[in-house]
Amino acid sequence: MQTRIRADFGAYLRYRRATMKAPEQPVGSRASRRRVPGLRRQELAEAAGISVEYYTRLEQGRAPRPSREILSSLARASGMTGAERDHLFRLAGEVPPEPMAGDSANRPGLLRMLHHLDDTVPVTVHDGRLDVVARNAAAAELLGPLPGAGRFRRNIVHHGFNAVARRVLGDEGAHHYARWATAELRAAMGRYPDDDYLRSLQVELAATSAGFRSHWERGEVTAARSGVKRLHHPTRGRLNFQSEILHDTESNHWVVIYAPIA
């Protein structure tokens, strides 16, 4: 089994190398003939900071499993996207690295989806730091405006410990949300232990909210991505929604869809 994995790994490296654009020859220099498309092994090995002998053994499936540092270097040198890098890690028998927590750029296609659902389905998007980065008109109407000031004004965990949560969810719903949000923060801090923003959020909530401290002491880590929520609509009263959370791994965004339940 391990031999097959290394062979697949080497084949993927060869494929990636063949698709890369060869460096342009300096003006006036004697052009060298390339028998195969893409980069030479030596060129890619130099870009990754490893020896060409070791790189050759990797392609041939004769080298020991590479370290995570070497895998990251190969991914960077090969110009891989996040999905391609993750595939490389899996072929090597490694768990892909976590995406960065702070990517706030939304894909145009996702923004178009939010716009087209404006009149029917509330949708919000938050990033790895649990900050809201987008929401459509239906979500803004249902959930109300974001707080006007403060470092954590866009943070969905912080929202669980203010009056807005009680207005939208009611006392019982707000309690369940606060518990979920606390567990979600713990999970995010586990994924990004060096993130100053998340650490500062935890410190502030621990200092200002007895409810947060009580939930934090439970030590819970959430994995819930689906559930029924009863929310207060400002003009239509209490409504039930099926809440589904989908993960966009490319940008590390979490898409929350509130599908109305008749």
Side-chain angles (χ1 to χ4, degrees):
M1 184 66 174
Q2 183 63 32
T3 300
R4 183 181 64 81
I5 292 174
R6 287 206 298 259
D8 291 345
F9 178 83
Y12 188 61
L13 283 181
R14 291 194 299 273
Y15 161 75
R16 288 296 311 172
R17 181 167 60 85
T19 62
M20 297 184 67
K21 183 179 179 181
E24 296 182 0
Q25 296 289 335
V27 177
S29 65
R30 182 179 178 181
S32 59
R33 297 182 61 186
R34 291 178 176 265
R35 293 178 294 178
V36 295
L39 294 185
R40 296 188 175 99
R41 285 173 175 166
Q42 181 175 355
E43 292 167 337
L44 186 51
E46 290 177 352
I50 61 178
S51 71
V52 66
E53 292 81 6
Y54 178 56
Y55 179 80
T56 300
R57 293 200 304 274
L58 286 173
E59 278 199 359
Q60 294 173 345
R62 297 188 295 108
R65 190 168 72 179
S67 68
R68 296 179 66 84
E69 290 75 14
I70 289 177
L71 291 172
S72 295
S73 296
L74 288 170
R76 286 193 299 269
S78 301
M80 293 184 183
T81 65
E84 291 166 342
R85 178 209 59 194
D86 292 352
H87 183 61
L88 181 74
F89 269 71
R90 293 189 183 100
L91 288 177
E94 291 284 347
V95 176
E98 288 284 350
M100 295 298 292
D103 188 356
S104 60
N106 289 291
R107 291 190 289 112
L110 180 58
L111 294 177
R112 285 194 294 271
M113 183 192 77
L114 265 66
H115 175 71
H116 287 308
L117 294 175
D118 269 348
D119 297 328
T120 55
V121 179
V123 182
T124 68
V125 183
H126 62 266
D127 61 17
R129 287 194 177 102
L130 309 172
D131 274 357
V132 175
V133 294
R135 59 180 186 167
N136 63 1
E141 181 183 19
L142 174 64
L143 303 175
L146 294 171
R151 183 184 182 189
F152 306 114
R153 60 181 294 269
R154 306 185 71 87
N155 191 272
I156 64 172
V157 177
H158 202 268
H159 295 167
F161 296 92
N162 58 33
V164 174
R166 290 188 293 275
R167 175 182 61 78
V168 176
L169 295 164
D171 289 340
E172 183 178 358
H175 173 78
H176 289 306
Y177 181 86
R179 181 176 175 179
W180 172 86
T182 304
E184 191 71 19
L185 175 59
R186 185 183 295 276
M189 293 179 69
R191 288 191 296 267
Y192 314 113
D194 299 323
D195 191 272
D196 290 336
Y197 177 83
L198 292 174
R199 287 203 303 268
S200 297
L201 173 61
Q202 191 273 334
V203 169
E204 175 171 312
L205 289 174
T208 59
S209 172
F212 175 82
R213 292 193 297 271
S214 176
H215 291 311
W216 188 260
E217 289 172 359
R218 293 175 177 266
E220 294 176 331
V221 178
T222 185
R225 296 290 176 257
S226 176
V228 175
K229 295 184 182 298
R230 185 167 176 81
L231 307 178
H232 178 76
H233 192 280
T235 60
R236 299 165 61 191
R238 291 286 173 184
L239 300 174
N240 292 325
F241 294 87
Q242 177 68 44
S243 174
E244 296 291 334
I245 303 179
L246 310 177
H247 188 204
D248 176 4
T249 56
E250 182 178 351
S251 59
N252 193 29
H253 284 174
W254 301 83
V255 183
V256 186
I257 302 173
Y258 297 89
I261 299 176

